[in-house]
Amino acid sequence: MDAIVSQIGDLAEAGERMIERLRRKAFLPDSRKGLNIRVGIAEAAQLLCCSTNRIRMAEDDGRLPSAPSSKNGRRLGYTIEELLHMRAVLNASPQRTPLDVPAIIAVQNFKGGVGKSTVTTHLAHYFAIQGYRVLVVDCDSQATTTTLFGFNPHFNITREETLYPYLSIDPTESDLAYAVKSTPWPNVDLIPSNLELFDVEYELAAAGSDGQSVLTARFRKLKEGLNVLANQYDVVLLDPPPALGTISLAVMQAANALLVPLAATTPDFCSTVQFLSMMDQVLQQLASAGIELDYNFVRLICSKFDSNDPSHAMIRSIMEQTFGAALLPVPILDSAEVSHAALRMMTVYELEKPIGTPKTHKRCRANLDEALGQIEQLVRQSWGRVTPAKEDEVLHASI
Protein backbone atom coordinates (compact mmCIF):
# COMPACT_ATOMS: atom_id res chain seq x y z
CA MET A 1 0.00 0.00 0.00
CA ASP A 2 2.82 2.42 0.87
CA ALA A 3 4.39 1.74 -2.53
CA ILE A 4 1.13 2.65 -4.31
CA VAL A 5 0.78 5.86 -2.31
CA SER A 6 4.40 6.73 -3.08
CA GLN A 7 3.80 6.05 -6.77
CA ILE A 8 0.81 8.40 -6.83
CA GLY A 9 2.91 11.09 -5.17
CA ASP A 10 5.67 10.60 -7.73
CA LEU A 11 3.16 10.91 -10.58
CA ALA A 12 1.78 14.13 -9.11
CA GLU A 13 5.26 15.63 -8.73
CA ALA A 14 6.18 14.66 -12.30
CA GLY A 15 2.98 16.28 -13.55
CA GLU A 16 3.64 19.50 -11.64
CA ARG A 17 7.16 19.73 -13.03
CA MET A 18 5.82 19.26 -16.57
CA ILE A 19 3.22 22.02 -16.07
CA GLU A 20 5.99 24.37 -14.98
CA ARG A 21 8.08 23.42 -18.03
CA LEU A 22 5.11 24.11 -20.31
CA ARG A 23 4.46 27.42 -18.56
CA ARG A 24 8.07 28.54 -18.95
CA LYS A 25 8.11 27.49 -22.59
CA ALA A 26 4.87 29.36 -23.29
CA PHE A 27 5.93 32.57 -21.56
CA LEU A 28 9.53 33.01 -22.65
CA PRO A 29 11.74 34.98 -22.22
CA ASP A 30 10.85 35.97 -18.67
CA SER A 31 8.46 33.12 -17.84
CA ARG A 32 5.68 35.63 -17.16
CA LYS A 33 2.53 35.79 -19.18
CA GLY A 34 2.13 38.97 -21.19
CA LEU A 35 -0.56 40.54 -23.35
CA ASN A 36 0.72 41.50 -26.78
CA ILE A 37 -2.47 41.76 -28.82
CA ARG A 38 -3.25 44.89 -30.81
CA VAL A 39 -6.53 45.98 -32.33
CA GLY A 40 -6.76 47.70 -35.71
CA ILE A 41 -8.71 50.90 -36.16
CA ALA A 42 -11.68 49.17 -37.82
CA GLU A 43 -12.09 46.72 -34.91
CA ALA A 44 -11.49 49.53 -32.41
CA ALA A 45 -14.30 51.54 -33.98
CA GLN A 46 -16.58 48.52 -33.81
CA LEU A 47 -15.77 47.97 -30.14
CA LEU A 48 -16.33 51.65 -29.34
CA CYS A 49 -19.56 51.77 -31.39
CA CYS A 50 -18.28 54.69 -33.44
CA SER A 51 -16.82 55.39 -36.86
CA THR A 52 -13.13 55.18 -37.77
CA ASN A 53 -13.43 58.82 -38.81
CA ARG A 54 -14.30 59.82 -35.25
CA ILE A 55 -11.15 58.12 -33.96
CA ARG A 56 -8.98 59.77 -36.62
CA MET A 57 -10.48 63.18 -35.81
CA ALA A 58 -9.70 62.70 -32.11
CA GLU A 59 -6.12 61.81 -33.04
CA ASP A 60 -5.83 64.81 -35.35
CA ASP A 61 -7.07 67.30 -32.75
CA GLY A 62 -4.85 65.86 -30.00
CA ARG A 63 -7.50 64.27 -27.79
CA LEU A 64 -6.01 60.88 -28.60
CA PRO A 65 -2.41 59.97 -29.41
CA SER A 66 -1.86 58.52 -32.84
CA ALA A 67 -1.55 54.78 -33.08
CA PRO A 68 2.13 53.72 -33.22
CA SER A 69 3.45 52.88 -36.66
CA SER A 70 6.03 50.45 -37.96
CA LYS A 71 9.16 51.56 -39.82
CA ASN A 72 7.29 51.43 -43.13
CA GLY A 73 4.52 53.65 -41.75
CA ARG A 74 1.91 50.95 -41.24
CA ARG A 75 -0.31 51.35 -38.16
CA LEU A 76 0.43 48.72 -35.53
CA GLY A 77 -2.98 48.96 -33.89
CA TYR A 78 -4.02 49.77 -30.33
CA THR A 79 -3.22 47.93 -27.11
CA ILE A 80 -5.95 47.11 -24.59
CA GLU A 81 -4.66 49.95 -22.38
CA GLU A 82 -4.98 52.36 -25.30
CA LEU A 83 -8.48 51.08 -26.04
CA LEU A 84 -9.51 51.80 -22.46
CA HIS A 85 -8.12 55.34 -22.77
CA MET A 86 -10.01 55.80 -26.04
CA ARG A 87 -13.23 54.76 -24.34
CA ALA A 88 -12.69 57.38 -21.64
CA VAL A 89 -11.90 60.17 -24.11
CA LEU A 90 -14.73 59.33 -26.51
CA ASN A 91 -17.23 58.63 -23.72
CA ALA A 92 -17.62 55.06 -24.94
CA SER A 93 -17.28 53.15 -21.69
CA PRO A 94 -19.89 50.44 -20.98
CA GLN A 95 -19.13 50.46 -17.26
CA ARG A 96 -22.01 50.43 -14.82
CA THR A 97 -23.14 53.50 -12.90
CA PRO A 98 -22.73 53.62 -9.11
CA LEU A 99 -26.43 52.71 -8.82
CA ASP A 100 -26.03 49.54 -10.91
CA VAL A 101 -25.39 46.36 -8.93
CA PRO A 102 -22.23 44.54 -10.10
CA ALA A 103 -22.96 41.27 -11.86
CA ILE A 104 -21.62 38.37 -9.76
CA ILE A 105 -21.90 35.34 -12.05
CA ALA A 106 -21.25 31.77 -10.89
CA VAL A 107 -20.21 29.52 -13.79
CA GLN A 108 -21.27 26.17 -12.40
CA ASN A 109 -21.98 22.58 -13.30
CA PHE A 110 -21.21 19.50 -11.22
CA LYS A 111 -20.24 17.58 -14.37
CA GLY A 112 -16.56 17.83 -15.14
CA GLY A 113 -15.26 18.29 -18.67
CA VAL A 114 -17.94 20.75 -19.80
CA GLY A 115 -15.42 23.55 -20.26
CA LYS A 116 -16.37 25.47 -17.11
CA SER A 117 -12.96 27.07 -16.58
CA THR A 118 -12.49 27.67 -20.31
CA VAL A 119 -15.84 29.44 -20.48
CA THR A 120 -14.94 31.49 -17.38
CA THR A 121 -11.60 32.72 -18.75
CA HIS A 122 -12.94 33.44 -22.24
CA LEU A 123 -15.89 35.29 -20.71
CA ALA A 124 -13.51 37.36 -18.56
CA HIS A 125 -11.42 38.35 -21.57
CA TYR A 126 -14.51 39.05 -23.68
CA PHE A 127 -15.83 41.46 -21.05
CA ALA A 128 -12.35 43.04 -20.80
CA ILE A 129 -12.17 43.75 -24.53
CA GLN A 130 -15.63 45.30 -24.32
CA GLY A 131 -14.29 47.72 -21.68
CA TYR A 132 -15.69 46.32 -18.43
CA ARG A 133 -13.78 46.00 -15.15
CA VAL A 134 -13.62 42.29 -14.31
CA LEU A 135 -12.71 40.22 -11.26
CA VAL A 136 -12.28 36.46 -11.60
CA VAL A 137 -12.42 34.38 -8.42
CA ASP A 138 -11.05 30.84 -8.71
CA CYS A 139 -12.87 28.89 -6.01
CA ASP A 140 -11.84 25.47 -7.33
CA SER A 141 -8.85 23.78 -5.69
CA GLN A 142 -8.02 22.18 -9.06
CA ALA A 143 -7.11 25.77 -10.09
CA THR A 144 -7.58 25.40 -13.85
CA THR A 145 -8.64 29.02 -14.18
CA THR A 146 -5.58 30.15 -12.21
CA THR A 147 -3.39 28.15 -14.59
CA LEU A 148 -5.05 29.68 -17.67
CA PHE A 149 -4.20 33.11 -16.28
CA GLY A 150 -0.52 32.18 -16.34
CA PHE A 151 0.07 31.18 -12.72
CA ASN A 152 1.31 27.76 -11.67
CA PRO A 153 -0.82 26.97 -8.59
CA HIS A 154 1.81 24.56 -7.26
CA PHE A 155 4.89 26.80 -7.60
CA ASN A 156 3.53 30.38 -7.77
CA ILE A 157 0.53 30.43 -5.43
CA THR A 158 0.58 29.83 -1.67
CA ARG A 159 -2.43 28.99 0.47
CA GLU A 160 -2.28 32.49 1.95
CA GLU A 161 -2.93 33.96 -1.51
CA THR A 162 -6.19 32.04 -2.02
CA LEU A 163 -9.59 32.33 -0.34
CA TYR A 164 -8.34 30.11 2.48
CA PRO A 165 -7.23 32.82 5.00
CA TYR A 166 -10.67 34.41 4.67
CA LEU A 167 -12.88 31.28 4.76
CA SER A 168 -10.98 29.03 7.18
CA ILE A 169 -12.24 28.16 10.66
CA ASP A 170 -9.54 30.42 12.11
CA PRO A 171 -9.41 33.25 9.55
CA THR A 172 -6.42 35.57 9.38
CA GLU A 173 -8.00 38.03 6.94
CA SER A 174 -11.13 40.12 7.45
CA ASP A 175 -11.66 41.12 3.82
CA LEU A 176 -10.68 39.80 0.38
CA ALA A 177 -8.45 42.65 -0.81
CA TYR A 178 -5.30 40.69 0.19
CA ALA A 179 -5.99 37.99 -2.43
CA VAL A 180 -6.53 40.17 -5.50
CA LYS A 181 -3.78 39.84 -8.12
CA SER A 182 -3.33 41.84 -11.28
CA THR A 183 -3.19 39.97 -14.59
CA PRO A 184 -1.74 40.88 -18.00
CA TRP A 185 -5.13 42.43 -18.77
CA PRO A 186 -5.26 45.96 -17.31
CA ASN A 187 -8.96 45.67 -16.44
CA VAL A 188 -9.01 42.05 -15.21
CA ASP A 189 -7.98 40.98 -11.70
CA LEU A 190 -7.80 37.47 -10.27
CA ILE A 191 -8.16 35.80 -6.90
CA PRO A 192 -6.20 32.59 -7.52
CA SER A 193 -6.55 29.11 -6.10
CA ASN A 194 -4.44 26.06 -5.40
CA LEU A 195 -4.88 22.58 -3.99
CA GLU A 196 -4.67 23.78 -0.38
CA LEU A 197 -7.95 25.67 -0.72
CA PHE A 198 -9.60 22.26 -0.29
CA ASP A 199 -8.52 22.43 3.37
CA VAL A 200 -11.55 24.68 3.91
CA GLU A 201 -13.80 21.72 3.08
CA TYR A 202 -11.99 19.52 5.60
CA GLU A 203 -12.13 22.12 8.35
CA LEU A 204 -15.83 22.81 7.95
CA ALA A 205 -16.63 19.10 7.75
CA ALA A 206 -14.83 18.67 11.07
CA ALA A 207 -16.54 21.66 12.69
CA GLY A 208 -18.31 19.38 15.18
CA SER A 209 -21.72 19.86 16.75
CA ASP A 210 -21.69 23.55 15.92
CA GLY A 211 -21.02 22.78 12.25
CA GLN A 212 -24.33 24.07 10.91
CA SER A 213 -23.89 27.54 12.37
CA VAL A 214 -20.28 27.60 11.16
CA LEU A 215 -21.41 26.71 7.64
CA THR A 216 -24.09 29.39 7.66
CA ALA A 217 -21.55 31.96 8.80
CA ARG A 218 -19.14 30.98 6.01
CA PHE A 219 -21.91 31.23 3.39
CA ARG A 220 -22.74 34.74 4.50
CA LYS A 221 -19.09 35.72 4.88
CA LEU A 222 -18.15 34.93 1.28
CA LYS A 223 -21.15 36.87 0.02
CA GLU A 224 -20.34 39.86 2.21
CA GLY A 225 -16.69 39.87 1.16
CA LEU A 226 -17.48 39.62 -2.54
CA ASN A 227 -20.15 42.32 -2.33
CA VAL A 228 -17.62 44.75 -0.86
CA LEU A 229 -14.95 43.85 -3.41
CA ALA A 230 -17.42 43.94 -6.32
CA ASN A 231 -17.91 47.68 -5.87
CA GLN A 232 -14.61 48.16 -7.73
CA TYR A 233 -15.76 46.10 -10.72
CA ASP A 234 -18.58 45.72 -13.23
CA VAL A 235 -18.52 41.94 -13.49
CA VAL A 236 -17.32 39.29 -11.03
CA LEU A 237 -16.94 35.73 -12.36
CA LEU A 238 -16.88 32.84 -9.87
CA ASP A 239 -15.46 29.45 -10.86
CA PRO A 240 -16.57 27.00 -8.14
CA PRO A 241 -15.60 23.33 -7.75
CA PRO A 242 -17.53 20.78 -9.86
CA ALA A 243 -19.08 19.23 -6.75
CA LEU A 244 -21.69 20.02 -4.15
CA GLY A 245 -19.40 21.01 -1.28
CA THR A 246 -19.18 23.86 1.18
CA ILE A 247 -17.38 26.22 -1.20
CA SER A 248 -19.80 25.50 -4.04
CA LEU A 249 -22.76 26.24 -1.80
CA ALA A 250 -21.13 29.45 -0.57
CA VAL A 251 -20.54 30.50 -4.19
CA MET A 252 -24.15 29.76 -5.12
CA GLN A 253 -25.27 32.02 -2.29
CA ALA A 254 -22.80 34.78 -3.09
CA ALA A 255 -23.73 35.01 -6.78
CA ASN A 256 -26.56 37.07 -8.22
CA ALA A 257 -26.56 35.22 -11.56
CA LEU A 258 -25.94 31.64 -12.64
CA LEU A 259 -24.46 30.37 -15.91
CA VAL A 260 -24.50 26.60 -16.50
CA PRO A 261 -22.28 25.29 -19.33
CA LEU A 262 -23.10 21.84 -20.71
CA ALA A 263 -21.82 19.88 -23.67
CA ALA A 264 -24.12 18.41 -26.30
CA THR A 265 -23.84 14.78 -25.17
CA THR A 266 -26.32 12.52 -23.45
CA PRO A 267 -24.18 12.10 -20.28
CA ASP A 268 -23.74 15.87 -19.98
CA PHE A 269 -27.46 16.49 -20.49
CA CYS A 270 -28.41 13.88 -17.88
CA SER A 271 -25.79 15.16 -15.44
CA THR A 272 -27.00 18.73 -15.84
CA VAL A 273 -30.59 17.66 -15.14
CA GLN A 274 -29.33 16.00 -11.94
CA PHE A 275 -27.39 19.16 -11.09
CA LEU A 276 -30.52 21.29 -11.48
CA SER A 277 -32.56 18.85 -9.38
CA MET A 278 -29.91 18.87 -6.68
CA MET A 279 -29.72 22.65 -6.82
CA ASP A 280 -33.48 22.88 -6.35
CA GLN A 281 -33.35 20.69 -3.23
CA VAL A 282 -30.33 22.54 -1.82
CA LEU A 283 -31.85 25.96 -2.41
CA GLN A 284 -35.00 24.91 -0.59
CA GLN A 285 -32.92 23.66 2.34
CA LEU A 286 -30.90 26.88 2.40
CA ALA A 287 -34.10 28.94 2.31
CA SER A 288 -35.49 26.97 5.27
CA ALA A 289 -32.25 27.80 7.14
CA GLY A 290 -32.77 31.50 6.44
CA ILE A 291 -30.24 31.72 3.61
CA GLU A 292 -31.95 33.31 0.62
CA LEU A 293 -30.71 33.26 -2.97
CA ASP A 294 -31.78 35.78 -5.57
CA TYR A 295 -30.54 35.55 -9.16
CA ASN A 296 -30.96 38.22 -11.82
CA PHE A 297 -30.77 35.45 -14.41
CA VAL A 298 -30.20 31.71 -14.71
CA ARG A 299 -29.08 30.51 -18.13
CA LEU A 300 -27.60 27.39 -19.68
CA ILE A 301 -25.11 27.58 -22.53
CA CYS A 302 -24.16 24.70 -24.77
CA SER A 303 -20.37 24.40 -24.90
CA LYS A 304 -18.09 22.31 -27.12
CA PHE A 305 -20.80 22.10 -29.78
CA ASP A 306 -19.79 20.36 -33.03
CA SER A 307 -22.14 21.60 -35.73
CA ASN A 308 -21.00 18.76 -38.04
CA ASP A 309 -21.95 16.01 -35.58
CA PRO A 310 -25.57 14.85 -35.99
CA SER A 311 -25.65 13.54 -32.41
CA HIS A 312 -24.75 17.01 -31.11
CA ALA A 313 -27.57 18.53 -33.16
CA MET A 314 -30.00 15.97 -31.77
CA ILE A 315 -28.99 16.56 -28.14
CA ARG A 316 -29.12 20.32 -28.64
CA SER A 317 -32.66 19.96 -29.98
CA ILE A 318 -33.55 18.01 -26.83
CA MET A 319 -31.99 20.82 -24.73
CA GLU A 320 -34.12 23.40 -26.53
CA GLN A 321 -37.30 21.39 -25.94
CA THR A 322 -36.40 20.85 -22.28
CA PHE A 323 -35.01 24.20 -21.17
CA GLY A 324 -36.73 26.60 -23.55
CA ALA A 325 -35.67 30.24 -23.24
CA ALA A 326 -33.30 29.39 -20.36
CA LEU A 327 -30.94 27.85 -22.96
CA LEU A 328 -28.98 30.58 -24.72
CA PRO A 329 -29.64 30.35 -28.48
CA VAL A 330 -26.01 30.58 -29.64
CA PRO A 331 -23.77 27.68 -28.51
CA ILE A 332 -19.99 27.81 -28.07
CA LEU A 333 -18.51 25.83 -30.93
CA ASP A 334 -15.95 23.09 -30.40
CA SER A 335 -12.93 24.65 -32.12
CA ALA A 336 -9.35 23.53 -32.47
CA GLU A 337 -8.36 27.17 -31.96
CA VAL A 338 -9.67 27.06 -28.37
CA SER A 339 -7.74 23.85 -27.69
CA HIS A 340 -4.54 25.19 -29.26
CA ALA A 341 -4.79 28.39 -27.22
CA ALA A 342 -5.36 26.41 -24.02
CA LEU A 343 -2.19 24.42 -24.70
CA ARG A 344 -0.37 27.75 -24.51
CA MET A 345 -2.31 28.64 -21.33
CA MET A 346 -4.21 31.32 -23.22
CA THR A 347 -7.65 32.13 -24.53
CA VAL A 348 -8.45 32.88 -28.15
CA TYR A 349 -8.70 36.56 -27.19
CA GLU A 350 -5.00 36.57 -26.22
CA LEU A 351 -3.65 35.22 -29.50
CA GLU A 352 -1.59 37.70 -31.52
CA LYS A 353 -2.22 35.66 -34.68
CA PRO A 354 -4.14 32.51 -35.61
CA ILE A 355 -2.68 29.19 -34.53
CA GLY A 356 -4.63 27.24 -37.13
CA THR A 357 -5.88 28.66 -40.40
CA PRO A 358 -7.06 32.30 -40.49
CA LYS A 359 -10.52 31.03 -41.50
CA THR A 360 -10.74 28.76 -38.44
CA HIS A 361 -9.58 31.54 -36.13
CA LYS A 362 -12.01 34.07 -37.58
CA ARG A 363 -14.92 31.66 -37.29
CA CYS A 364 -13.99 30.76 -33.71
CA ARG A 365 -13.59 34.39 -32.63
CA ALA A 366 -16.89 35.41 -34.26
CA ASN A 367 -18.69 32.57 -32.51
CA LEU A 368 -17.18 33.44 -29.13
CA ASP A 369 -18.14 37.10 -29.54
CA GLU A 370 -21.72 36.16 -30.40
CA ALA A 371 -22.10 33.46 -27.73
CA LEU A 372 -20.52 35.44 -24.90
CA GLY A 373 -22.24 38.61 -26.07
CA GLN A 374 -25.50 36.98 -25.03
CA ILE A 375 -24.30 37.06 -21.43
CA GLU A 376 -23.22 40.68 -21.75
CA GLN A 377 -26.77 41.51 -22.85
CA LEU A 378 -28.19 39.78 -19.77
CA VAL A 379 -25.88 41.83 -17.53
CA ARG A 380 -26.86 45.07 -19.24
CA GLN A 381 -30.54 44.16 -18.98
CA SER A 382 -30.09 43.67 -15.24
CA TRP A 383 -28.83 47.28 -15.18
CA GLY A 384 -31.84 48.41 -17.18
CA ARG A 385 -29.77 49.07 -20.28
CA VAL A 386 -29.28 47.63 -23.74
CA THR A 387 -26.28 47.86 -26.04
CA PRO A 388 -26.21 51.27 -27.77
CA ALA A 389 -26.69 51.34 -31.52
CA LYS A 390 -23.59 51.91 -33.63
CA GLU A 391 -23.13 55.29 -35.30
CA ASP A 392 -23.44 53.90 -38.83
CA GLU A 393 -26.68 52.11 -37.88
CA VAL A 394 -28.16 55.34 -36.54
CA LEU A 395 -27.10 57.29 -39.65
CA HIS A 396 -28.44 54.62 -41.97
CA ALA A 397 -31.78 54.53 -40.11
CA SER A 398 -32.18 58.32 -40.38
CA ILE A 399 -31.68 58.44 -44.15
Side-chain angles (χ1 to χ4, degrees), residues 40 46 53 86 149 209 241 279 286 305 308 374:
Q46 183 180 19
N53 188 49
M86 292 165 70
F149 269 97
S209 58
M279 275 289 297
L286 290 176
F305 180 71
N308 296 317
Q374 300 171 118

Side-chain angles (χ1 to χ4, degrees), residues 36-347:
N36 301 313
I37 58 172
R38 287 183 176 271
V39 175
I41 190 169
E43 185 179 353
Q46 183 180 19
L47 288 169
L48 273 60
C49 297
C50 70
S51 63
T52 56
N53 188 49
R54 187 181 179 194
I55 295 175
R56 294 185 190 278
M57 287 175 61
E59 291 177 345
D60 291 341
D61 62 26
R63 286 178 294 152
L64 289 176
S66 298
S69 302
S70 63
K71 291 182 179 179
N72 60 11
R74 185 176 65 86
R75 280 176 171 250
L76 295 176
Y78 306 97
T79 65
I80 297 299
E81 289 94 339
E82 290 166 341
L83 269 179
L84 292 173
H85 177 63
M86 292 165 70
R87 288 185 182 278
V89 170
L90 300 178
N91 194 27
S93 173
Q95 295 177 5
R96 65 183 179 85
T97 69
L99 296 178
D100 296 322
V101 177
I104 304 178
I105 307 171
V107 184
Q108 176 64 299
N109 195 326
F110 295 162
K111 172 72 167 63
V114 298
K116 182 169 60 68
S117 297
T118 302
V119 169
T120 301
T121 48
H122 277 85
L123 188 56
H125 295 164
Y126 169 83
F127 273 118
I129 287 177
Q130 303 307 315
Y132 298 90
R133 299 164 299 174
V134 184
L135 173 66
V136 179
V137 186
D138 194 350
C139 311
D140 185 356
S141 58
Q142 296 180 70
T144 304
T145 293
T146 298
T147 302
L148 287 173
F149 269 97
F151 298 97
N152 186 318
H154 184 74
F155 291 102
N156 305 139
I157 304 299
T158 67
R159 184 168 71 172
E160 285 65 37
E161 296 174 286
T162 71
L163 290 172
Y164 178 84
Y166 182 76
L167 290 179
S168 67
I169 290 293
D170 297 311
T172 56
E173 298 287 350
S174 58
D175 61 55
L176 289 171
Y178 73 93
V180 177
K181 288 185 175 295
S182 60
T183 74
W185 292 77
N187 50 340
V188 181
D189 290 335
L190 171 73
I191 293 182
S193 178
N194 72 4
L195 189 60
E196 291 178 285
L197 179 60
F198 196 75
D199 290 348
V200 170
E201 302 279 1
Y202 286 126
E203 290 181 5
L204 294 176
S209 58
D210 196 36
Q212 189 60 46
S213 62
V214 172
L215 287 173
T216 301
R218 287 301 171 275
F219 291 164
R220 293 196 172 114
K221 186 176 183 183
L222 181 60
K223 182 173 184 176
E224 291 166 0
L226 287 175
N227 282 342
V228 171
L229 205 54
N231 288 324
Q232 305 170 41
Y233 302 93
D234 304 301
V235 179
V236 178
L237 300 174
L238 310 178
D239 185 6
L244 186 60
T246 302
I247 294 177
S248 290
L249 291 175
V251 166
M252 293 296 99
Q253 203 252 339
N256 58 27
L258 179 62
L259 180 67
V260 183
L262 70 160
T265 68
T266 301
D268 281 281
F269 173 78
C270 295
S271 175
T272 300
V273 171
Q274 292 300 313
F275 162 67
L276 294 171
S277 298
M278 198 178 303
M279 275 289 297
D280 179 51
Q281 296 175 27
V282 169
L283 296 186
Q284 291 183 39
Q285 292 173 2
L286 290 176
S288 65
I291 302 174
E292 296 294 337
L293 286 86
D294 185 19
Y295 295 144
N296 292 324
F297 62 84
V298 176
R299 292 293 188 276
L300 298 94
I301 186 166
C302 182
S303 60
K304 299 185 175 182
F305 180 71
D306 185 350
S307 57
N308 296 317
D309 189 332
S311 68
H312 279 218
M314 181 183 69
I315 295 298
R316 177 160 172 77
S317 176
I318 292 173
M319 290 179 190
E320 292 171 344
Q321 296 175 46
T322 305
F323 303 127
L327 177 71
L328 292 173
V330 179
I332 297 175
L333 298 178
D334 186 15
S335 174
E337 200 74 353
V338 174
S339 302
H340 291 156
L343 185 61
R344 291 160 174 77
M345 299 181 189
M346 293 180 173
T347 67

